[in-house]
Amino acid sequence: MNNKEIINKIAFLKEAMINDKLVVFAGSGISVESGLPIWDDLLKGIKSKLNFDASKETDSLKIAQLLYNEKGEKEYYDIIKSLIYDNSSNKYNPLHELIFQLNPQHIVTTNYDNFFEQYIENEGLPFSLVVKDEDLPYAKYKNLIIKYHGDFENHNIVLKETDYLEFSKTNTLKEIFVKSLFSNKVILFVGYSFSDINLKLLSRDVQYILKKHHQRAYLLDLTNLISESEKMYYKNLGINIINYGQAEKEIPNLESFFDDKQINLRPYSSRAYKLLNYLNEFNLDKYKNNLGVVLTENQVIDEIYNTFKKFHHFRVLPKNFLSNLYPLNKNTKSTMNIRDNIFICFNDELYNLIHKFQGKEDAFFNEIQKEKIVYCLKRLMYSGVYHIAVPKLNSDSFGNYSYLEGSLISLESKIQLDFDCDCMSCNLNNYKYSEVISKIEKYVITISTDLFDDLNYANSLYKLNYNFKSFLAYQQIYYKANKQKKFEVSFIAIYNVYWLGKWSNFFYEDYVKEKEYEIVKKFIRNIDLDKELYKVKYLVDEKVYELLREIRSGIYMQNLCDEIDENYQKIPETKKLIEQGGGSSNNDINNLYKSIIKLENYRDLNFINVNGYSRITKAIQKSINAFIVAYSMKFVENKLEHSFFVTSHMKNYNHFLIKEIIEYAETAKLDSFIRENKLENIEISEESIQEIFSSISNFLESVTTTSSKFKSTPLENKTVVSRLSSDYNFRIKILKQLDNICLVLTYFKLPEDNLNELYKKINTFIKFVKFKGPFDYQYLDKLLFKKHLEIDSDSILTTLEIFYSNNRFDENYDRILDVLNAKDDNFTTDLFDVNQYKINNSKWKYHIVYNCLDGELKETFKNKLRSFLMSEEADLFMLFRAIYNDILIEPQIVEKYKSSILQILISYESQNAKYRSQSANAVINFFKLIYLKKIDLKGFENTEIKDDYFKFLYDPTNFPIVDFNPEWLKIEKCNPFIEVFNGVEYIIPTLENYLTNNEDVDLMKLYFRLKKKTHPKRMIHSND
């Protein structure tokens, strides 16, 4: 006897479960634990109700018929119902629950009770109930509960002789459907005994109709022993017996699949539970690994293809999940068979197949085989596996295997991933907004559109900040996927609906009406993700369910965020260590990079839209800062070349990291952080320069189109520009990305020709996109300030013309004039409108405008400035600027300025701390003008100055030496102050003495600046 006979049968049933081909036939034995009688006990009860002694009668159908004939229909039904339900608990039992865990496509029961209905109602499972023929055409769900012999509620139970004889007439559709299941499904009989008339009739009918063209059926036999002849008898009927006694011998741990402390069942029911639970928990992959069967190449291809096809809508699988999929784990001796991007393959057949495959042009494999292999290799590469190798013969001391030298195969040598296809997602990732919007406007989710394309559409709406439209699209997909029985897709859709609804404020989207908003809120409140997940548990492959469960929990993404946080903390610590003369050789930067890529690919390629509403965005923003620190370490290391330690840093940026900045960076914070790390001209890897140039070009060109006649002249793309004007959320997204692009161009090193080409495209962008906000294009200012020497003057002049034509006279306008003036000292312009220029909005730079104007225009501006400075709107700095830049040194301006300073000096000590810093700066600027001799101290002679530092500035020569604080010298270090301090005799000696006892780098630098002045000048006080 084959000692794996039962296990082989269980494996076959498990395969049917996974492939959605299992149909469970449930007999009376299933409901015994709910207090219902088995078939034989029911017959005994019927006999006891007859008016004669029927103890010797063996024809079960005749016995029921006799009762009907004696009692009539009403009493007959009452007696049968009483015999069945008198001892019932009226509740389903653990066997009913366990049957659903087997993922049956249908459950056919010959019982009359309603326990299966109770369970699907309580758990919200998508099963339709079929009790009579009329129910079949109107079944809502793919999965059916078929009450083959009717029930009491519908008054159509099948029990007596005439019921069976007339069954084909009264239950035609039901009979045809159930018998058809034997042709293409795998049948499992549970709760039937060999004496059960229902089992005999069904098996005989099927054998007669289908002859040898039916699938093998299986029956759970709960006895200790069955003879070979009886097994053969049922085998000839097409039924394979799974005997409990034999199973006990083959499966040593069978007892462990039932816990009598947790579940209270009778002996025979507990046997059924053990076998069903063993089937439910059966590890098919492990079973296949131990078969030792040599497969053909076509079988090897189908094995891996069928595995990946289950996850068709999930392009990226976590590596720990991937490594446990069959046949990737076939023959494996290690749980860690994927190391970084290398799959260490213990499956020789799979390795040899991939080794042999030469790509799409391979002449050995047919087109179908090549298509399947390419599909599988792409899935591996999407998941971050780029190499495959065989293991060494022996493991390391931890039981892990390295790959054998010379066996490494690059998957990229076989195929290339296409991230530049024309789908919405790829266009979005490449910033081709014009193409995306065009596709979105045309796309409609219908019954015939592909679910993958539908998900792509909904995801693209989300990425464009059309959160409400994305919500509605995912809602449509949810209903559609349910109808098409693609329950993994329906879960992803409702998952995204939930998160979009939870975190988005749709009411602030321009096109959302209040009534729609209220409907959406109500829908969201009714979503229970755990219940939704439980619904699909029995309707999808168990591995797919495992992945859905992971998505629901979010543990994988949270773990990646934790890894990012950990490395985010480690990298600055490493830098600090290096700065202190130490060193560190670690993989923190590389590990951070890998975690970010995993997180982004997993979320993006699987259409998981939670990034804006969770830790994910924060984690990515942290990583952006960490990479800045990692890059800055290269300069610390350069200074410490003598160090004994080996250190690590980031050499340059690539396309992926630049895109992360464009997509996620908080511009102001990153700008500040880069300056804090004193970085500029950050290097980009040579191979990424063209990719970055193309991506930014795509973004900037999205607002343009070309004429068929004048292809070289960009024209306004009215579709995109109008959306930017009308859609607030989309506009916010584009502005943020534009700011980040300007930041990238400001601090990162691109070839000068690329920079100039992109700057020209920025000009075209701002020409057509006329944003009105005061902070729009604010980082153009930064770009011009940092890179004006590299950018062509003609291009900057074009920017000036665009701002002038758009009546945009803001700080960017001031900066444009500033850099043009820096490039040409004699630069002047008439592209200026005095009436449109708001002096108060450009108080820091209005002097730039003044310097670039000429003739009458300059005089008109000066008059406007004079009027403004004498008004209450003008602040001290604006007055200072007019005097400092020799624009208006007129008595009334100077007197107003001095009067304001005098008030500050008098009231300084009593001022709120919040304003003292601002006041201090104003006073310092005042003394700068004094030291430059642009104004004098007339009127301040009898002023009582209480602050020691201000007293020192007022008269440094006569200030008491004992009260002098050398730290004051660091407050203002510009040349006019140095000139004055150099003429004060006690300052240098006092500073020398201070530095003897204190180490201060800044004061040391100041000391040498003072010493360089060989001819000290004595300050002449205004009173002299």
Side-chain angles (χ1 to χ4, degrees):
M1 183 186 295
N2 182 353
N3 63 2
K4 285 191 177 181
E5 181 185 338
I6 299 296
I7 293 176
N8 290 341
K9 290 174 181 176
I10 294 290
F12 189 82
L13 287 169
K14 186 69 174 185
E15 191 88 57
M17 282 172 57
I18 291 169
N19 294 323
D20 195 25
K21 282 184 167 290
L22 182 68
V23 174
V24 174
F25 275 67
S28 59
I30 291 298
S31 297
V32 168
E33 291 301 322
S34 298
L36 272 59
I38 59 172
W39 178 252
D40 288 344
D41 291 342
L42 177 61
L43 291 178
K44 287 177 186 177
I46 294 173
K47 288 178 184 180
S48 70
K49 300 295 182 180
L50 289 169
N51 294 335
F52 66 95
D53 183 6
S55 58
K56 294 183 180 179
E57 182 60 63
T58 57
D59 188 337
S60 57
L61 303 186
K62 181 181 176 183
I63 293 167
Q65 189 68 49
L66 287 169
L67 181 68
Y68 181 84
N69 294 343
E70 272 189 15
K71 309 296 182 183
E73 184 170 317
K74 183 180 184 306
E75 191 176 352
Y76 166 77
Y77 262 87
D78 290 342
I79 290 170
I80 298 300
K81 193 171 185 179
S82 174
L83 288 171
I84 291 174
Y85 285 113
D86 271 359
N87 297 313
S88 172
S89 65
N90 291 319
K91 190 177 187 314
Y92 55 82
N93 64 64
L95 288 174
H96 291 104
E97 297 180 44
L98 188 52
I99 283 171
F100 281 98
Q101 292 184 37
L102 301 179
N103 187 34
Q105 190 178 91
H106 309 299
I107 297 172
V108 182
T109 180
T110 48
N111 300 340
Y112 314 126
D113 60 65
N114 64 352
F115 298 136
F116 283 122
E117 296 100 293
Q118 281 183 30
Y119 188 74
I120 62 173
E121 186 175 341
N122 286 353
E123 300 299 327
L125 299 180
F127 278 79
S128 292
L129 183 66
V130 175
V131 185
K132 50 192 184 298
D133 274 4
E134 301 91 278
D135 296 333
L136 261 175
Y138 299 102
K140 182 179 178 181
Y141 299 109
K142 175 188 95 169
N143 304 83
L144 306 175
I145 302 286
I146 302 171
K147 301 187 84 168
Y148 197 53
H149 284 171
D151 62 16
F152 289 104
E153 285 75 11
N154 287 276
H155 209 72
N156 66 339
I157 66 169
V158 176
L159 179 59
K160 62 188 189 299
E161 190 174 62
T162 53
D163 295 334
Y164 280 92
L165 292 174
E166 295 172 4
F167 187 81
S168 295
K169 294 179 182 177
T170 56
N171 296 275
T172 309
L173 291 179
K174 205 160 57 168
E175 182 182 42
I176 292 170
F177 180 80
V178 169
K179 288 179 178 178
S180 72
L181 297 176
F182 286 81
S183 65
N184 57 9
K185 306 297 177 189
V186 176
I187 309 299
L188 174 61
F189 288 99
V190 184
Y192 291 94
S193 66
F194 292 134
S195 61
D196 197 319
I197 187 65
N198 297 313
L199 175 65
K200 291 179 179 179
L201 290 173
L202 271 171
S203 56
R204 286 292 182 188
D205 282 351
V206 170
Q207 186 192 40
Y208 174 76
I209 295 168
L210 299 175
K211 296 183 172 48
K212 294 181 180 180
H213 305 295
H214 59 82
Q215 294 276 350
R216 288 280 176 186
Y218 294 80
L219 173 85
L220 293 193
D221 166 35
L222 305 177
T223 63
N224 288 324
L225 185 66
I226 184 172
S227 67
E228 287 298 316
S229 58
E230 196 165 11
K231 281 167 63 175
M232 187 56 66
Y233 168 79
Y234 281 101
K235 190 172 184 180
N236 289 334
L237 289 175
I239 298 175
N240 293 282
I241 303 299
I242 297 176
N243 175 255
Y244 180 81
Q246 187 179 344
E248 271 193 316
K249 295 174 184 176
E250 285 189 32
I251 309 165
N253 65 332
L254 187 60
E255 285 294 324
S256 67
F257 288 87
F258 175 74
D259 186 352
D260 57 4
K261 293 179 181 177
Q262 298 290 328
I263 304 171
N264 184 26
L265 296 177
R266 300 173 198 184
Y268 264 69
S269 296
S270 70
R271 289 183 172 194
Y273 192 94
K274 288 175 203 172
L275 288 172
L276 291 175
N277 199 23
Y278 178 74
L279 169 59
N280 185 43
E281 300 290 335
F282 187 77
N283 190 326
L284 191 61
D285 292 345
K286 189 174 180 181
Y287 166 81
K288 288 180 178 179
N289 282 341
N290 295 326
L291 283 178
V293 178
V294 177
L295 302 179
T296 65
E297 280 183 338
N298 205 50
Q299 288 173 319
V300 176
I301 293 169
D302 284 343
E303 265 195 341
I304 189 167
Y305 177 75
N306 290 336
T307 290
F308 279 118
K309 197 65 179 173
K310 294 172 190 174
F311 301 93
H312 177 66
H313 296 97
F314 305 95
R315 285 173 288 180
V316 176
L317 303 177
K319 288 177 184 174
N320 60 336
F321 181 88
L322 188 67
S323 64
N324 288 311
L325 291 179
Y326 185 86
L328 298 178
N329 66 351
K330 190 173 183 179
N331 303 325
T332 188
K333 297 176 183 177
S334 170
T335 55
M336 296 179 63
N337 62 345
I338 297 180
R339 299 272 195 91
D340 289 331
N341 62 7
I342 302 172
F343 166 41
I344 299 172
C345 184
F346 290 82
N347 182 346
D348 292 339
E349 294 164 330
L350 180 59
Y351 177 82
N352 292 335
L353 173 80
I354 295 173
H355 187 272
K356 182 178 181 179
F357 179 62
Q358 296 301 311
K360 291 182 179 180
E361 305 304 319
D362 193 302
F364 180 82
F365 296 98
N366 64 42
E367 291 304 315
I368 294 173
Q369 288 174 324
K370 285 192 286 187
E371 188 177 314
K372 288 180 177 179
I373 295 170
V374 167
Y375 180 88
C376 296
L377 296 187
K378 280 186 175 182
R379 293 300 160 129
L380 283 170
M381 292 168 71
Y382 280 135
S383 299
V385 176
Y386 286 88
H387 298 88
I388 182 171
V390 296
K392 289 181 178 178
L393 289 176
N394 299 312
S395 67
D396 60 22
S397 56
F398 297 100
N400 298 318
Y401 286 79
S402 301
Y403 68 88
L404 186 67
E405 293 295 332
S407 69
L408 197 68
I409 301 170
S410 168
L411 300 188
E412 289 179 299
S413 68
K414 309 288 181 179
I415 63 161
Q416 293 293 315
L417 285 179
D418 185 9
F419 287 110
D420 293 315
C421 69
D422 197 36
C423 75
M424 291 181 221
S425 183
C426 286
N427 277 320
L428 261 178
N429 288 335
N430 289 316
Y431 303 118
K432 295 181 179 179
Y433 289 112
S434 175
E435 286 85 343
V436 175
I437 288 171
S438 175
K439 289 177 184 295
I440 280 173
E441 288 182 342
K442 294 173 185 174
Y443 196 88
V444 179
I445 296 174
T446 67
I447 196 68
S448 59
T449 52
D450 188 275
L451 279 170
F452 193 90
D453 294 334
D454 295 342
L455 287 169
N456 202 331
Y457 166 69
N459 183 51
S460 298
L461 288 170
Y462 164 76
K463 285 183 169 183
L464 288 168
N465 277 7
Y466 294 141
N467 293 330
F468 186 72
K469 290 178 181 178
S470 179
F471 177 96
L472 295 178
Y474 277 120
Q475 197 178 40
Q476 274 186 279
I477 294 167
Y478 171 68
Y479 293 126
K480 174 181 171 180
N482 274 330
K483 285 181 182 178
Q484 295 186 358
K485 318 304 179 191
K486 297 294 184 183
F487 296 107
E488 69 277 18
V489 176
S490 73
F491 179 77
I492 285 297
I494 200 67
Y495 176 85
N496 284 323
V497 164
Y498 173 80
W499 282 107
L500 277 165
K502 184 175 177 67
W503 294 105
S504 297
N505 199 336
F506 300 134
F507 195 63
Y508 289 101
E509 295 188 37
D510 300 341
Y511 49 84
V512 182
K513 296 176 182 176
E514 188 171 356
K515 187 177 179 181
E516 293 174 320
Y517 181 57
E518 291 303 320
I519 293 170
V520 163
K521 281 202 300 185
K522 185 178 178 181
F523 182 83
I524 294 160
R525 282 196 299 268
N526 292 328
I527 296 174
D528 185 334
L529 285 183
D530 292 322
K531 192 172 181 180
E532 292 289 341
L533 181 63
Y534 190 79
K535 277 184 188 179
V536 305
K537 181 175 182 180
Y538 308 116
L539 305 173
V540 297
D541 175 84
E542 62 178 338
K543 289 292 186 183
V544 173
Y545 174 73
E546 191 179 321
L547 180 64
L548 294 179
R549 192 171 59 185
E550 157 52 43
I551 291 169
R552 168 66 186 104
S553 72
I555 291 172
Y556 178 69
M557 288 192 287
Q558 291 301 323
N559 286 342
L560 288 173
C561 288
D562 288 343
E563 289 175 20
I564 291 166
D565 282 346
E566 186 180 345
N567 288 300
Y568 166 75
Q569 293 167 3
K570 284 180 178 179
I571 291 171
E573 289 171 3
T574 301
K575 181 180 179 181
K576 196 175 291 184
L577 183 65
I578 297 169
E579 286 173 334
Q580 293 169 355
S584 175
S585 181
N586 56 55
N587 290 319
D588 296 339
I589 300 168
N590 194 36
N591 290 338
L592 176 63
Y593 183 74
K594 288 176 185 175
S595 297
I596 288 292
I597 286 185
K598 285 179 192 174
L599 183 61
E600 283 289 72
N601 287 345
Y602 179 76
R603 181 193 57 77
D604 188 42
L605 297 178
N606 291 339
F607 308 116
I608 300 172
N609 300 149
V610 296
N611 90 346
Y613 317 118
S614 68
R615 282 181 62 197
I616 295 172
T617 299
K618 290 296 179 187
I620 294 173
Q621 287 168 349
K622 285 179 179 179
S623 76
I624 290 171
N625 281 4
F627 287 123
I628 292 292
V629 175
Y631 180 82
S632 72
M633 284 196 287
K634 69 189 286 186
F635 302 105
V636 179
E637 291 180 24
N638 288 341
K639 295 174 185 176
L640 300 172
E641 288 177 356
H642 61 278
S643 174
F644 172 77
F645 296 100
V646 177
T647 54
S648 55
H649 62 259
M650 196 169 88
K651 293 181 179 178
N652 48 46
Y653 273 69
N654 63 13
H655 184 226
F656 172 79
L657 292 177
I658 294 295
K659 281 186 66 181
E660 291 296 280
I661 291 173
I662 294 171
E663 192 68 36
Y664 294 104
E666 293 181 281
T667 322
K669 289 182 179 179
L670 182 59
D671 177 31
S672 175
F673 195 72
I674 292 173
R675 285 187 282 111
E676 185 183 314
N677 282 272
K678 300 174 183 177
L679 294 177
E680 55 185 21
N681 285 324
I682 300 170
E683 292 183 38
I684 297 170
S685 67
E686 194 172 335
E687 61 272 17
S688 291
I689 287 173
Q690 189 54 45
E691 288 181 291
I692 293 166
F693 176 79
S694 296
S695 292
I696 296 176
S697 291
N698 291 338
F699 176 92
L700 297 169
E701 289 170 356
S702 289
V703 300
T704 66
T705 185
T706 53
S707 162
S708 55
K709 290 183 179 179
F710 308 103
K711 292 187 177 180
S712 61
T713 305
L715 304 173
E716 179 182 341
N717 185 322
K718 293 184 179 178
T719 303
V720 178
V721 173
S722 65
R723 275 188 178 262
L724 284 169
S725 299
S726 61
D727 293 345
Y728 173 79
N729 281 2
F730 180 48
R731 182 163 68 250
I732 291 299
K733 178 183 180 68
I734 294 301
L735 273 172
K736 176 187 174 182
Q737 290 185 341
L738 180 64
D739 282 346
N740 287 336
I741 284 170
C742 286
L743 202 69
V744 166
L745 297 180
T746 299
Y747 289 110
F748 289 79
K749 186 178 181 180
L750 281 170
E752 198 168 308
D753 57 338
N754 286 158
L755 176 64
N756 273 285
E757 188 63 32
L758 290 175
Y759 189 82
K760 288 175 183 176
K761 292 177 182 183
I762 289 175
N763 273 338
T764 307
F765 187 96
I766 61 177
K767 175 183 177 182
F768 294 130
V769 182
K770 301 175 178 68
F771 292 137
K772 305 293 185 184
F775 300 110
D776 300 340
Y777 306 123
Q778 60 181 316
Y779 286 91
L780 181 63
D781 181 317
K782 300 276 184 184
L783 173 58
L784 287 168
F785 177 70
K786 285 284 186 181
K787 294 290 179 79
H788 66 271
L789 294 176
E790 297 175 49
I791 299 171
D792 292 340
S793 297
D794 288 345
S795 294
I796 302 174
L797 191 58
T798 300
T799 313
L800 183 68
E801 291 167 356
I802 294 167
F803 271 72
Y804 174 73
S805 65
N806 291 342
N807 283 324
R808 193 175 185 102
F809 301 99
D810 53 15
E811 289 192 11
N812 279 311
Y813 177 85
D814 296 343
R815 176 64 70 191
I816 296 164
L817 292 180
D818 191 19
V819 297
L820 286 169
N821 186 239
K823 290 168 84 72
D824 179 2
D825 292 338
N826 298 316
F827 172 79
T828 59
T829 184
D830 59 357
L831 298 174
F832 182 72
D833 188 331
V834 174
N835 296 322
Q836 293 290 333
Y837 189 82
K838 307 294 182 187
I839 296 174
N840 197 32
N841 292 341
S842 298
K843 61 184 179 181
W844 301 97
K845 299 175 184 174
Y846 69 79
H847 63 287
I848 297 168
V849 177
Y850 178 80
N851 290 334
C852 293
L853 300 179
D854 203 6
E856 186 179 338
L857 196 56
K858 189 168 191 170
E859 195 59 36
T860 305
F861 178 73
K862 188 173 181 179
N863 291 334
K864 181 175 181 175
L865 178 61
R866 182 184 295 106
S867 297
F868 180 83
L869 292 178
M870 292 305 296
S871 73
E872 292 183 359
E873 288 184 73
D875 64 20
L876 270 174
F877 183 80
M878 298 183 77
L879 290 163
F880 162 78
R881 179 63 76 184
I883 299 167
Y884 179 79
N885 290 100
D886 299 325
I887 300 173
L888 286 166
I889 312 182
E890 298 173 354
Q892 68 269 34
I893 300 292
V894 172
E895 284 307 311
K896 181 181 179 182
Y897 177 65
K898 288 170 68 176
S899 176
S900 298
I901 295 295
L902 186 60
Q903 290 301 313
I904 290 174
L905 287 170
I906 293 169
S907 63
Y908 184 76
E909 289 295 319
S910 62
Q911 279 187 9
N912 188 305
K914 180 180 178 182
Y915 301 106
R916 292 183 81 180
S917 175
Q918 186 177 346
S919 295
N921 287 332
V923 172
I924 291 167
N925 283 335
F926 169 73
F927 281 108
K928 185 185 292 185
L929 295 177
I930 296 294
Y931 295 168
L932 287 169
K933 299 181 181 177
K934 291 183 181 284
I935 59 175
D936 56 35
L937 283 166
K938 186 177 179 181
F940 287 76
E941 297 88 344
N942 299 315
T943 304
E944 184 181 358
I945 302 173
K946 294 182 180 180
D947 184 83
D948 285 344
Y949 177 57
F950 294 162
K951 285 180 184 177
F952 166 72
L953 293 180
Y954 182 84
D955 188 0
T957 303
N958 298 311
F959 187 78
I961 299 174
V962 292
D963 295 332
F964 173 66
N965 183 353
E967 291 285 337
W968 291 341
L969 301 176
K970 294 193 291 186
I971 296 174
E972 180 56 66
K973 298 174 281 190
C974 66
N975 281 334
F977 281 72
I978 297 296
E979 290 283 348
V980 170
F981 297 158
N982 191 63
V984 180
E985 293 179 358
Y986 65 82
I987 287 182
I988 291 179
T990 305
L991 186 55
E992 287 174 344
N993 185 54
Y994 183 84
L995 289 172
T996 303
N997 301 307
N998 298 278
E999 192 174 312
D1000 189 315
V1001 174
D1002 288 336
L1003 279 178
M1004 185 67 75
K1005 290 178 180 176
L1006 274 171
Y1007 171 75
F1008 284 114
R1009 281 181 69 187
L1010 289 165
K1011 289 290 284 183
K1012 283 182 182 178
K1013 306 294 181 181
T1014 54
H1015 302 289
K1017 297 179 182 178
R1018 183 174 178 81
M1019 176 184 176
I1020 302 174
H1021 198 277
S1022 58
N1023 289 339
D1024 292 347

